Amino acid sequence: MIIKLEKVTVVSRKDIEAIDVTPIVEDVVKNSGVTNGMVFVYTMHTSSGLIVTEGIPCLEEDIMNYLSKIVPEEGNYRHQRYLDFDGRVGFNADTHIKSILGGINAFFSIENKKIIKGSRQTLYFLEFDGPLERTICIQVMGE
Amino acid sequence: MIDFHTHPVLIREVIGDDPDMLKVTREIFDIGNNLMPLEIFFLQMDTAGIEKAVLLPIDCRKSKGLPISTSEIVGKLSRENERFIGFASVDPMDKDAPKRLEEDVKKWNLKGLKLSPAAQGFCVTDKENTYPVYEKASSLKLPVLFHMGMSWEPGTKISQGTPLPLEEVAYDFPNLNIVIAHFAWPFVDVAAALSWKYKNIYIDTSALYFDSPKEFIHYVMNHQLPVTLIERSLRDKIVFGSNYPRVEIKNMANAVRSLGLSEGCLKLIFKENAERLLGI
């Protein structure tokens, strides 16, 4: 049994952004030594998401726009107060809620050193509060 | 577009592995966010439509034991990155402060002076200690940005952020440009009156103490003061400041832009007033 964990840095360059991380995960799987097994991917940040959907720009825009409609930036959020442990005001409740709605992780099976996924399935890191340096964890398990 | 109020306290290349630098960030400046590469600072500026940012150190070695960044750190950053405008900071209680200010400004091509009475533990009207520093800043044509109003840093007093004593400084140094930071919140009306009365007193917008940036800026500039005062009378006296990284630049910029001010007024606040103050 092989278990490998990689922490990969992703830099978001915009306020809100969908970043295709499929090639990154495929590379980690390819280099893991695992032939058959599974890969678990998750974001380490509560104002970001990790989703699987069809990889086309119009859908990227629709997903971000609709999440923003469901959870507007301005709202009666209790989080908008001074957080003494952070030394600043928390005013990004919307980004945390979007993270919950979008989800933060994904699983894929691995067969013959390749991720088994639908031809249109793309793995996205969703930035809700960028630009920032972010980390995603990729754990590969198998034989 | 210029951000007149940022702090280089979360830049990974600056903090490095130095435990003292990290201690300053976490315990003296008191911010818990992750360190970020310098690239993120510029991306934050890009996202907000900001071209240049003023970097502010605070020499609080005597009062806190360690400085919140230094003239040298800021000088190196601004020398290596043309998007940064460096300010100096000296401790007015240090007898060599005027001499060191001149040396630092000339060595690092710094464009202003940052002072924080609350963090540095001095009184702005302590003539014996502060007036030689103001005299030097005035002779070097440096604007002086004073932290005013409430301070988040532990061990600082709100009473040391009351802006009214700056009247005496503005009066005694008519050629010294003074910038009141954070709109001196909660002493907003006093800051506005001082800026209205004295041609050498300016205000920066970097105020956020509760609610969201939009809510707070509207409260300050459209409730505590009428926004018409900004539009009609103080348009030449306000500079945009974010206080990044306590607030992301984009959030504060969007908040100021949402006030309903005219394009001409916004251009003054975001660009022209700062350029005039900085002589650029």
Side-chain angles (χ1 to χ4, degrees), chain B residues 89-141:
Chain B
S89 186
V90 291
D91 188 337
M93 306 308 282
D94 179 352
K95 295 294 175 202
D96 291 336
K99 182 172 167 279
R100 206 155 58 76
L101 175 62
E102 183 164 14
E103 288 170 359
D104 286 346
V105 164
K106 288 183 174 166
K107 183 173 183 184
W108 301 109
N109 193 28
L110 302 171
K111 301 294 185 189
L113 171 64
K114 160 76 186 237
L115 294 174
S116 176
Q120 295 176 298
F122 73 90
C123 170
V124 298
T125 51
D126 170 0
K127 291 189 177 182
E128 185 188 339
N129 291 300
T130 62
Y131 273 38
V133 175
Y134 303 151
E135 187 67 53
K136 182 58 72 180
S138 183
S139 72
L140 294 169
K141 298 188 183 345

Side-chain angles (χ1 to χ4, degrees), chain B residues 135-156:
Chain B
E135 187 67 53
K136 182 58 72 180
S138 183
S139 72
L140 294 169
K141 298 188 183 345
L142 300 173
V144 184
L145 186 142
F146 286 90
H147 176 100
M148 282 286 132
M150 189 167 148
S151 302
W152 287 126
E153 294 95 336
T156 55

Side-chain angles (χ1 to χ4, degrees), chain A residues 11-15 45 73-75 80-82 84-89 91 128-133, chain B residues 12 30-33 36-37 39-40 43-44 47 152 208-209 211-215 245-246 248 250-251:
Chain A
V11 172
S12 60
R13 309 186 77 80
K14 297 175 186 169
D15 181 20
H45 309 279
E73 184 185 333
E74 295 294 320
Q80 291 172 174
R81 65 187 181 92
Y82 179 68
D84 55 1
F85 55 88
D86 254 353
R88 51 176 287 164
V89 175
F91 46 78
F128 299 124
D129 199 12
L132 285 170
E133 183 186 72
Chain B
R12 188 180 296 139
D30 190 28
I31 190 164
N33 289 60
M36 287 282 145
E39 178 191 18
I40 296 296
L43 288 169
Q44 288 278 345
T47 306
W152 287 126
L208 176 64
Y209 293 92
D211 294 342
S212 72
K214 270 187 192 165
E215 288 172 322
R246 278 208 208 279
E248 281 69 32
K250 64 182 180 183
N251 296 103

Side-chain angles (χ1 to χ4, degrees), chain A residues 59-71:
Chain A
L59 263 180
E60 292 172 8
E61 210 174 307
D62 286 339
I63 288 162
M64 294 312 232
N65 285 343
Y66 269 82
L67 281 172
S68 293
K69 277 186 185 173
I70 295 165
V71 195

